[in-house]
Short mmCIF file of all heavy atoms in Angstrom, two decimals:
data_model
loop_
_atom_site.label_atom_id
_atom_site.label_comp_id
_atom_site.label_asym_id
_atom_site.label_seq_id
_atom_site.Cartn_x
_atom_site.Cartn_y
_atom_site.Cartn_z
N PHE A 4 -22.62 -16.56 9.33
CA PHE A 4 -21.52 -15.65 9.62
C PHE A 4 -20.31 -15.95 8.73
O PHE A 4 -19.66 -15.04 8.21
CB PHE A 4 -21.12 -15.75 11.09
CG PHE A 4 -19.89 -14.95 11.43
CD1 PHE A 4 -19.96 -13.58 11.60
CD2 PHE A 4 -18.66 -15.58 11.56
CE1 PHE A 4 -18.81 -12.84 11.90
CE2 PHE A 4 -17.52 -14.86 11.86
CZ PHE A 4 -17.60 -13.48 12.03
N LEU A 7 -20.92 -14.66 5.33
CA LEU A 7 -20.76 -13.21 5.33
C LEU A 7 -19.28 -12.83 5.35
O LEU A 7 -18.84 -11.94 4.61
CB LEU A 7 -21.47 -12.61 6.54
CG LEU A 7 -21.28 -11.09 6.76
CD1 LEU A 7 -21.86 -10.30 5.60
CD2 LEU A 7 -21.92 -10.66 8.08
N LEU A 8 -18.52 -13.54 6.19
CA LEU A 8 -17.08 -13.28 6.30
C LEU A 8 -16.38 -13.50 4.96
O LEU A 8 -15.59 -12.66 4.51
CB LEU A 8 -16.47 -14.19 7.36
CG LEU A 8 -14.94 -14.16 7.50
CD1 LEU A 8 -14.47 -12.77 7.92
CD2 LEU A 8 -14.48 -15.21 8.51
N GLN A 11 -17.47 -10.75 2.42
CA GLN A 11 -16.86 -9.45 2.70
C GLN A 11 -15.36 -9.48 2.44
O GLN A 11 -14.77 -8.51 1.94
CB GLN A 11 -17.14 -9.05 4.15
CG GLN A 11 -18.59 -8.69 4.43
CD GLN A 11 -19.03 -7.41 3.73
OE1 GLN A 11 -18.54 -6.33 4.02
NE2 GLN A 11 -19.97 -7.54 2.80
N MET A 12 -14.71 -10.61 2.75
CA MET A 12 -13.27 -10.73 2.49
C MET A 12 -12.99 -10.71 0.99
O MET A 12 -12.01 -10.11 0.54
CB MET A 12 -12.73 -12.03 3.10
CG MET A 12 -11.22 -12.16 3.02
SD MET A 12 -10.60 -13.66 3.83
CE MET A 12 -11.02 -13.28 5.54
N TYR A 15 -13.26 -7.20 -0.12
CA TYR A 15 -12.09 -6.44 0.36
C TYR A 15 -10.88 -6.71 -0.54
O TYR A 15 -10.20 -5.77 -0.99
CB TYR A 15 -11.77 -6.84 1.80
CG TYR A 15 -10.58 -6.12 2.39
CD1 TYR A 15 -10.67 -4.79 2.79
CD2 TYR A 15 -9.36 -6.78 2.57
CE1 TYR A 15 -9.58 -4.13 3.34
CE2 TYR A 15 -8.27 -6.13 3.12
CZ TYR A 15 -8.38 -4.81 3.51
OH TYR A 15 -7.30 -4.17 4.06
N ILE A 19 -8.95 -3.87 -2.91
CA ILE A 19 -7.55 -3.46 -2.76
C ILE A 19 -6.67 -4.04 -3.85
O ILE A 19 -5.46 -3.82 -3.88
CB ILE A 19 -6.98 -3.87 -1.38
CG1 ILE A 19 -6.90 -5.40 -1.25
CG2 ILE A 19 -7.80 -3.25 -0.25
CD1 ILE A 19 -6.21 -5.86 0.01
N ALA A 58 0.87 -7.88 3.55
CA ALA A 58 0.10 -7.26 4.62
C ALA A 58 0.22 -5.74 4.59
O ALA A 58 -0.76 -5.02 4.81
CB ALA A 58 0.55 -7.80 5.97
N SER A 61 -1.87 -4.40 1.73
CA SER A 61 -3.28 -4.55 2.08
C SER A 61 -3.71 -3.47 3.05
O SER A 61 -4.81 -2.90 2.91
CB SER A 61 -3.53 -5.93 2.70
OG SER A 61 -3.23 -6.96 1.78
N TYR A 62 -2.85 -3.17 4.02
CA TYR A 62 -3.16 -2.10 4.98
C TYR A 62 -3.25 -0.75 4.26
O TYR A 62 -4.21 0.00 4.46
CB TYR A 62 -2.09 -2.04 6.07
CG TYR A 62 -2.27 -0.85 6.98
CD1 TYR A 62 -3.14 -0.90 8.06
CD2 TYR A 62 -1.58 0.34 6.74
CE1 TYR A 62 -3.33 0.21 8.87
CE2 TYR A 62 -1.76 1.45 7.55
CZ TYR A 62 -2.63 1.38 8.61
OH TYR A 62 -2.83 2.49 9.40
N GLY A 65 -6.26 -0.64 1.91
CA GLY A 65 -7.50 -0.67 2.68
C GLY A 65 -7.77 0.66 3.36
O GLY A 65 -8.89 1.18 3.31
N TRP A 66 -6.73 1.23 3.99
CA TRP A 66 -6.90 2.52 4.66
C TRP A 66 -7.23 3.62 3.66
O TRP A 66 -8.04 4.51 3.94
CB TRP A 66 -5.64 2.86 5.45
CG TRP A 66 -5.80 4.09 6.29
CD1 TRP A 66 -5.29 5.33 6.07
CD2 TRP A 66 -6.57 4.19 7.50
NE1 TRP A 66 -5.68 6.20 7.05
CE2 TRP A 66 -6.47 5.52 7.95
CE3 TRP A 66 -7.33 3.27 8.24
CZ2 TRP A 66 -7.11 5.97 9.11
CZ3 TRP A 66 -7.96 3.71 9.40
CH2 TRP A 66 -7.84 5.04 9.82
N ILE A 69 -10.86 3.39 2.78
CA ILE A 69 -11.69 3.87 3.88
C ILE A 69 -11.71 5.40 3.92
O ILE A 69 -12.78 6.02 4.02
CB ILE A 69 -11.17 3.30 5.23
CG1 ILE A 69 -11.40 1.79 5.28
CG2 ILE A 69 -11.86 3.99 6.41
CD1 ILE A 69 -10.68 1.10 6.43
N ILE A 86 -16.81 -0.12 -1.20
CA ILE A 86 -17.43 0.63 -0.09
C ILE A 86 -18.49 1.60 -0.61
O ILE A 86 -19.63 1.57 -0.13
CB ILE A 86 -16.38 1.35 0.75
CG1 ILE A 86 -15.45 0.33 1.43
CG2 ILE A 86 -17.04 2.24 1.82
CD1 ILE A 86 -14.34 0.96 2.27
N LEU A 91 -19.03 -3.75 0.31
CA LEU A 91 -18.16 -3.96 1.47
C LEU A 91 -18.55 -2.94 2.53
O LEU A 91 -18.51 -1.73 2.29
CB LEU A 91 -16.69 -3.77 1.08
CG LEU A 91 -15.66 -3.80 2.20
CD1 LEU A 91 -15.62 -5.16 2.88
CD2 LEU A 91 -14.27 -3.42 1.67
N SER A 92 -18.94 -3.42 3.71
CA SER A 92 -19.34 -2.49 4.77
C SER A 92 -18.12 -1.81 5.36
O SER A 92 -17.01 -2.37 5.37
CB SER A 92 -20.12 -3.22 5.86
OG SER A 92 -19.26 -4.01 6.65
N LEU A 93 -18.32 -0.61 5.88
CA LEU A 93 -17.21 0.15 6.45
C LEU A 93 -16.61 -0.59 7.64
O LEU A 93 -15.38 -0.62 7.81
CB LEU A 93 -17.70 1.54 6.88
CG LEU A 93 -16.66 2.46 7.52
CD1 LEU A 93 -15.51 2.74 6.56
CD2 LEU A 93 -17.32 3.78 7.96
N SER A 94 -17.45 -1.19 8.46
CA SER A 94 -16.95 -1.90 9.65
C SER A 94 -16.06 -3.08 9.27
O SER A 94 -15.02 -3.31 9.90
CB SER A 94 -18.12 -2.36 10.52
OG SER A 94 -19.00 -3.20 9.78
N TRP A 95 -16.45 -3.83 8.24
CA TRP A 95 -15.63 -4.96 7.79
C TRP A 95 -14.32 -4.45 7.18
O TRP A 95 -13.26 -5.04 7.37
CB TRP A 95 -16.37 -5.81 6.78
CG TRP A 95 -17.29 -6.81 7.39
CD1 TRP A 95 -18.66 -6.75 7.46
CD2 TRP A 95 -16.93 -8.03 8.06
NE1 TRP A 95 -19.16 -7.84 8.12
CE2 TRP A 95 -18.13 -8.65 8.50
CE3 TRP A 95 -15.71 -8.65 8.32
CZ2 TRP A 95 -18.13 -9.86 9.18
CZ3 TRP A 95 -15.71 -9.87 9.00
CH2 TRP A 95 -16.92 -10.45 9.42
N ALA A 96 -14.39 -3.35 6.44
CA ALA A 96 -13.18 -2.77 5.83
C ALA A 96 -12.20 -2.35 6.92
O ALA A 96 -10.99 -2.60 6.81
CB ALA A 96 -13.54 -1.58 4.96
N ILE A 97 -12.70 -1.71 7.97
CA ILE A 97 -11.85 -1.30 9.08
C ILE A 97 -11.26 -2.53 9.78
O ILE A 97 -10.07 -2.54 10.14
CB ILE A 97 -12.65 -0.45 10.09
CG1 ILE A 97 -13.02 0.89 9.45
CG2 ILE A 97 -11.84 -0.22 11.37
CD1 ILE A 97 -13.94 1.74 10.31
N CYS A 98 -12.07 -3.57 9.93
CA CYS A 98 -11.61 -4.80 10.58
C CYS A 98 -10.47 -5.44 9.79
O CYS A 98 -9.40 -5.75 10.35
CB CYS A 98 -12.78 -5.77 10.71
SG CYS A 98 -12.34 -7.37 11.44
N PHE A 99 -10.67 -5.64 8.48
CA PHE A 99 -9.64 -6.27 7.65
C PHE A 99 -8.37 -5.43 7.58
O PHE A 99 -7.25 -5.95 7.61
CB PHE A 99 -10.18 -6.51 6.24
CG PHE A 99 -11.26 -7.56 6.16
CD1 PHE A 99 -12.38 -7.35 5.38
CD2 PHE A 99 -11.16 -8.74 6.87
CE1 PHE A 99 -13.39 -8.31 5.30
CE2 PHE A 99 -12.15 -9.70 6.81
CZ PHE A 99 -13.27 -9.49 6.01
N THR A 100 -8.54 -4.11 7.49
CA THR A 100 -7.38 -3.21 7.41
C THR A 100 -6.60 -3.24 8.72
O THR A 100 -5.35 -3.26 8.71
CB THR A 100 -7.83 -1.78 7.09
OG1 THR A 100 -8.55 -1.78 5.84
CG2 THR A 100 -6.65 -0.84 6.97
N SER A 101 -7.31 -3.25 9.84
CA SER A 101 -6.64 -3.31 11.15
C SER A 101 -5.87 -4.61 11.31
O SER A 101 -4.74 -4.61 11.81
CB SER A 101 -7.67 -3.16 12.27
OG SER A 101 -8.35 -1.93 12.18
N ILE A 102 -6.47 -5.71 10.87
CA ILE A 102 -5.79 -7.00 10.94
C ILE A 102 -4.53 -6.98 10.09
O ILE A 102 -3.47 -7.48 10.51
CB ILE A 102 -6.73 -8.13 10.49
CG1 ILE A 102 -7.86 -8.34 11.50
CG2 ILE A 102 -5.96 -9.44 10.29
CD1 ILE A 102 -8.94 -9.30 11.06
N SER A 103 -4.60 -6.37 8.91
CA SER A 103 -3.43 -6.27 8.04
C SER A 103 -2.32 -5.49 8.73
O SER A 103 -1.14 -5.87 8.67
CB SER A 103 -3.80 -5.57 6.72
OG SER A 103 -4.74 -6.34 5.99
N GLY A 104 -2.67 -4.39 9.41
CA GLY A 104 -1.69 -3.60 10.13
C GLY A 104 -1.02 -4.39 11.25
O GLY A 104 0.20 -4.33 11.43
N VAL A 105 -1.84 -5.13 11.99
CA VAL A 105 -1.30 -5.96 13.08
C VAL A 105 -0.35 -7.03 12.51
O VAL A 105 0.72 -7.29 13.08
CB VAL A 105 -2.44 -6.62 13.88
CG1 VAL A 105 -1.89 -7.65 14.86
CG2 VAL A 105 -3.24 -5.56 14.63
N LEU A 106 -0.73 -7.61 11.39
CA LEU A 106 0.11 -8.65 10.77
C LEU A 106 1.45 -8.10 10.32
O LEU A 106 2.47 -8.80 10.38
CB LEU A 106 -0.62 -9.29 9.59
CG LEU A 106 -1.79 -10.21 9.94
CD1 LEU A 106 -2.49 -10.69 8.67
CD2 LEU A 106 -1.31 -11.40 10.77
#
Side-chain angles (χ1 to χ4, degrees):
F4 173 78
L7 174 63
L8 174 63
Q11 290 292 296
M12 187 177 294
Y15 180 74
I19 66 173
S61 298
Y62 173 84
W66 187 254
I69 292 168
I86 296 178
L91 173 64
S92 74
L93 180 60
S94 57
W95 277 105
I97 292 174
C98 178
F99 291 137
T100 302
S101 300
I102 291 172
S103 296
V105 171
L106 288 176

